[in-house]
Amino acid sequence: MNTVTRPRILVVGAGFAGVECVRRLERRLSPHEAAVTLVTPFAYQLYLPLLPQVASGVLTPQSIAVSLRRSSRYRTRIIPGGAIGVDLKAKVCVVRTITGEIVNEPYDYIVLAPGSITRTFDIPGLTDHAFGMKTLAEAAYIRDHVISQLDLADASQDPAERASRLQFVVVGGGYAGTETAACLQRLTHAAVKRYPRLDPSLIKWHLIDIAPKLMPELGEKLGRSAQEVLTRRGIEISLGVSIEKAGPEEVTFTNGRVVPTRTLIWTAGVVASPLIATLDAETVKGRLAVTAEMCLPGHDGVFALGDSAAVPDLAKGQEGAVCPPTAQHAMRQGKHVAENIISTLRGQPMRPYVHKDLGLVVDLGGTDAVSKPLGVELHGLPAQAVARGYHWSALRTGVAKARVAANWMLNAVAGDDFVRTGFQARKPAKLKDFEYTDAYLTPEQVRKQVEGAGRAQS
């Protein structure tokens, strides 16, 4: 095949699923077999599970932002922008580039791995006053914000203001919320020793969740162990409770309690990317309904995986079971979709995705952790070794592994630092400012954009 007629493979999203798919395609396909294009606003893969450690300053931001251009086999064309719509009939993806230009990108095969966004509810003041923990910018911003609250409390002469600045609320008792509360509590506990005017007893962390248990996926024993660790550190855990409304200086819980605070961190789950709604296709709880081969029924050459796809979990053997939106599944699904695309190109049959869960790890900072590798329950230092060993091995490049290992070692030896980088000097940025959820088109707008471009070319 020449460069004009070779199939065009378009991968949307540079998360775990998208990057693993691209890398497998690069390794297994020769250049003349297909042209591979990746749509992403940033030319790096973000290792999301370690975001709480960036927020607490244990790791530097660039440690978990793995460059896509370092690969020795790198030959994928990267379009710097975000997919805002897909016309499945015309086989065109509408992309808004980082310059603001809207372009149509045709494809023969498309891999939809746009990931997820923070799940929010219609709670008064939530998007205006809460921080998220889904992007690298949010993690770095939250670190600056938390340290600035200590500085502002230290400078304040008003006892009420000081008390409100030293209270922090995290909503979400899953992995992200639990690790965020645990890591940031350690940061403030260490930092307050450098503020002689501040009373350490004023620093209070609240972790709340509407569920009756903390991280129920871990099981009764490990969930209780994690809760005991957090309680021992002074984190107040409230279960069966959520947020009724949020303001700039206080948060009201659904049980009527009002907590004076300037810091509300929202980690109450995720939902599929708004891109999925532009396809006008069947969904399962917002995630695209796909086959076990991760194909979209009725549309040749369309694959979906990761957080935005309801991939059947055949390993569970239960009808209707779908794979959870975890990095573990996304990475393996990415490789599997690549193999299915290669099989299609070479006229071979596709295989269904089957993967048995390898377990769960939760890093609570320091020597505290809970882990469940292959069903074996661990806590304390052994669990910490498993958790960090798993994350370290999952990092894609040797450079990233070296940076993370060096950061962990430096933090263990030298402790935390409490330097603000200056993000707080600009306009405050909250949950609504980081994920650009208003950028996507409706299915009608997608068709109009594609048809309009077609008429202009004819």
Side-chain angles (χ1 to χ4, degrees), residues 9-30:
I9 303 173
L10 181 65
V11 180
V12 176
F16 289 106
V19 169
E20 290 297 331
C21 179
V22 166
R23 291 296 176 244
R24 180 60 63 95
L25 291 172
E26 287 182 331
R27 284 193 294 270
R28 298 267 284 114
L29 286 176
S30 60

Side-chain angles (χ1 to χ4, degrees), residues 11-16 18-19 22-23 38-48 61 64-69 74 76-83 95-99 113-114 134-138 396 433-436 440:
V11 180
V12 176
F16 289 106
V19 169
V22 166
R23 291 296 176 244
L38 176 65
V39 178
T40 174
F42 307 106
Y44 63 77
Q45 177 194 12
L46 179 63
Y47 192 82
L48 275 168
I64 66 168
V66 185
S67 173
L68 300 180
R69 303 186 190 273
Y74 169 73
T76 296
R77 172 193 169 209
I78 296 178
I79 300 178
V95 179
R96 178 178 279 117
T97 68
I98 58 174
T99 63
K134 197 74 173 64
T135 67
L136 194 61
E138 284 175 313
R396 195 172 46 78
D433 300 309
F434 283 102
E435 298 194 33
Y436 308 106
Y440 297 86

Side-chain angles (χ1 to χ4, degrees), residues 14 18 20 22 29 33 37 41 47 52 84 107 125 169 173 211 232 260 266-268 320 329 362 368 371 435 440 453:
E20 290 297 331
V22 166
L29 286 176
E33 285 187 276
T37 302
Y47 192 82
I84 58 174
Y107 62 84
V169 178
R232 187 168 63 246
W266 180 267
T267 64
H329 277 289
V362 182
D368 293 320
S371 301
E435 298 194 33
Y440 297 86

Side-chain angles (χ1 to χ4, degrees), residues 7 25 117 144 165 176 211 224 248-249 268 289 296 307 318 359 370 385 402 452:
L25 291 172
I117 62 171
D144 258 22
R165 292 194 181 280
R224 186 170 61 250
E249 298 181 6
L296 184 63
D307 291 7
Q318 300 174 2
V370 289

Side-chain angles (χ1 to χ4, degrees), residues 54 80 115 121 185 198 209-210 216 234 262-263 266 297 311 358 375 385 392:
V54 171
F121 300 98
Q185 185 275 336
L198 295 181
D209 194 278
I210 196 66
R262 310 294 177 96
T263 308
W266 180 267
V311 180
L358 298 180
W392 185 84

Side-chain angles (χ1 to χ4, degrees), residues 355-369:
H355 169 67
K356 188 176 181 180
D357 201 340
L358 298 180
L360 306 165
V361 295
V362 182
D363 190 335
L364 301 175
T367 58
D368 293 320

